[in-house]
Amino acid sequence: DEPYEPRGPWAGFERVRPQEHPDTGAPLDLLSQVAEGLGTTPPGFEVHPKLRTLLEKRRKSISDNQPLDWAMGELLAYGTLVLEGTPVRLSGQDSSRGTFSHRHAVVVDQNTDEEYVALAHLADYQARFEVFDSHLSEAAVLGFEYGYSLADPYSLVLWEAQFGDFVNGAQVIIDQFISSAHVKWQRMSGLVMLLPHGYEGQGPEHSSARIERFLQICAEDCMQVANCTTPAQYFHLLRRQMKRSYRAPLVVFTPKSLLRAPQATSPVEAFAHGSFQPLIGDAMAARNAGEVERLMFCSGKVYYDLIAERERRLGENAHRVAVCRVEELYPWPAARVAEMLRTFPNAERVLWAQEEPRNMGPWTFVRPRLREACAGGTLSYAGRPEAASPATGSMRIHKQEQ
């Protein structure tokens, strides 16, 4: 019955979640140093010709003020953290290259097969960066990384599923340890789980990381559940994980098709300043807030589908429908949702839109929370009907559903 006091490496960490979102921007010179290192290889190192252009683009991305994609946002987060003294450890079934050939944290000499990890050679004074391609045994690998996060709260420890669906194989680790250890044994963990998620017609085993399962077990600030839509948001989210004085597991539903989508990029200044935003409003609609007739909430990739369809259908009247992104599903951003409802007081309908079937995805979690915020107003669902499988196996049917 004695109050728990963190000891050893955990001394100084808080058990109560602070409400503030700290500034997690990085100075431009630090971002430039990381970008320069990402595009540099040792003398005589023969990179695959297809990668030379990518590495050169990364090297010049900050100095040329280029829009930055998802992979660059992630690598900048890791690079700035190790330069600031925070070790980073990433494992997963295809983590060094990235399942979708986007990360390329490790490059290989085409003549000698020698490997080079740029993030491990940014400066002499930097902290350790490690990336491992682990085998297809999710329970074993996730369990090991969870233990690592307990032993070293000062390292950013991440595990990435090859597809988010594969987290099924580690369900016992999530249920027995990650979601409940802070209640059962008062053990905190800062483990990050990266789960590729999104409906692109790839079938039932390559679409859904089962958002609903994580949200179902969310209570008492046991974890953080996020579905970012921009590289800058992802950058700030990863840095926030280490800048706060407490630790809680973080589940990130990462994109697939958005990895190279031109509309899903962020300007350099978004990385130099600011913090993670749990909810992003609709700036275009807000300029004529009184004319908004419909307010839609969503999370993740479907946001880009919605705004494209809004433009196609409504044209110059697109501002009459506001689309707001819930970037952090748990802890639920109740105050910011209420602020959005006040911003558009004339909206006749409030909707939740999602890609997942009605009995999956965030809907069952957000429904009571949005209804409470609407104070008795109309709340509608827009998405696929209930289904037994998380996705169809037919591309033709997928397109019809979408």
Side-chain angles (χ1 to χ4, degrees):
D1 295 332
E2 296 181 1
Y4 171 74
E5 291 294 336
R7 296 180 294 274
W10 285 92
F13 283 86
E14 301 174 11
R15 291 189 61 211
V16 179
R17 171 174 57 95
Q19 298 298 319
E20 76 278 1
H21 296 276
D23 188 320
T24 46
L28 275 176
D29 59 343
L30 198 65
L31 294 170
S32 298
Q33 183 178 353
V34 176
E36 183 71 27
L38 289 172
T40 303
T41 54
F45 195 94
E46 288 294 329
V47 180
H48 192 285
K50 290 185 178 180
L51 289 183
R52 289 176 189 157
T53 302
L54 173 65
L55 296 183
E56 184 63 16
K57 181 180 179 181
R58 287 180 174 178
R59 189 177 69 84
K60 295 181 176 180
S61 58
I62 303 298
S63 59
D64 289 355
N65 199 26
Q66 300 172 0
L68 304 179
D69 62 14
W70 188 273
M72 192 62 183
E74 179 188 45
L75 296 173
L76 286 174
Y78 299 154
T80 52
L81 283 172
V82 297
L83 287 177
E84 291 169 342
T86 297
V88 175
R89 172 188 175 87
L90 169 64
S91 72
Q93 286 130 16
D94 203 1
S95 294
S96 59
R97 183 197 66 172
T99 298
F100 313 101
S101 298
H102 65 286
R103 183 176 290 122
H104 295 294
V106 178
V107 292
V108 180
D109 188 301
Q110 297 300 290
N111 297 326
T112 66
D113 289 338
E114 178 186 359
E115 295 184 347
Y116 180 73
V117 183
L119 287 172
H121 299 89
L122 298 176
D124 294 338
Y125 58 84
Q126 72 169 76
R128 182 181 67 256
F129 176 82
E130 298 174 302
V131 57
F132 302 100
D133 290 334
S134 53
H135 55 91
L136 269 162
S137 181
E138 289 83 2
V141 179
L142 183 60
F144 182 89
E145 300 303 341
Y146 172 73
Y148 198 105
S149 72
L150 294 181
D152 188 0
Y154 292 98
S155 289
L156 178 62
V157 182
L158 310 100
W159 175 76
E160 181 178 54
Q162 196 168 43
F163 284 84
D165 313 63
F166 300 174
V167 77
N168 278 341
Q171 196 67 49
V172 66
I173 301 297
I174 296 164
D175 292 343
Q176 296 296 109
F177 300 96
I178 294 174
S179 65
S180 56
H182 81 296
V183 173
K184 295 193 290 189
W185 307 303
Q186 298 180 325
R187 296 300 307 274
M188 291 184 288
S189 164
L191 178 71
V192 180
M193 298 170 58
L194 306 179
L195 308 178
H197 175 91
Y199 282 55
E200 285 99 358
Q202 293 179 288
E205 315 307 334
H206 298 84
S207 299
S208 176
R210 295 289 192 173
I211 293 176
E212 67 279 359
R213 292 182 180 174
F214 289 96
L215 294 177
Q216 185 183 34
I217 56 178
C218 281
E220 301 178 293
D221 296 326
C222 64
M223 65 176 71
Q224 307 156 93
V225 178
N227 195 356
C228 304
T229 55
T230 70
Q233 280 280 88
Y234 186 41
F235 169 87
H236 289 296
L237 181 67
L238 292 176
R239 286 177 55 80
R240 187 186 73 169
Q241 188 72 354
M242 302 309 296
K243 296 299 181 182
R244 285 175 163 178
S245 57
Y246 81 107
R247 293 288 181 266
L250 169 62
V251 182
V252 188
F253 298 99
T254 55
K256 294 176 286 181
S257 61
L258 294 186
L259 293 172
R260 296 173 179 85
Q263 69 270 33
T265 58
S266 299
V268 171
E269 57 265 25
F271 298 84
H273 308 283
S275 61
F276 176 76
Q277 301 301 309
L279 187 144
I280 300 177
D282 191 326
M284 181 197 73
R287 289 194 290 269
N288 302 96
E291 299 181 23
V292 170
E293 302 168 352
R294 186 175 299 182
L295 173 58
M296 303 185 74
F297 290 93
C298 67
S299 186
K301 177 187 78 73
V302 73
Y303 164 74
Y304 293 100
D305 299 323
L306 291 171
I307 60 174
E309 190 69 9
R310 178 180 66 176
E311 186 66 28
R312 188 186 73 82
R313 293 192 189 189
L314 302 181
E316 61 183 17
N317 292 318
H319 66 277
R320 295 184 181 274
V321 177
V323 184
C324 299
R325 292 168 272 177
V326 181
E327 302 276 292
E328 186 173 55
L329 290 157
Y330 190 84
W332 176 251
R336 303 200 183 203
V337 169
E339 179 186 346
M340 285 299 107
L341 291 166
R342 290 192 299 269
T343 301
F344 305 104
N346 299 325
E348 298 173 359
R349 293 186 64 192
V350 178
L351 300 97
W352 174 264
Q354 66 178 35
E355 297 181 298
E356 301 84 6
R358 188 178 184 126
N359 57 320
M360 303 177 195
W363 170 240
T364 54
F365 175 83
V366 305
R367 179 173 55 190
R369 291 162 175 81
L370 280 177
R371 278 198 176 141
E372 181 181 356
C374 290
T378 302
L379 174 63
S380 304
Y381 166 82
R384 286 172 167 83
E386 291 186 350
S389 172
T392 177
S394 163
M395 176 61 78
R396 178 180 58 82
I397 296 176
H398 164 79
K399 290 180 178 178
Q400 290 175 352
E401 293 177 345
Q402 198 76 355

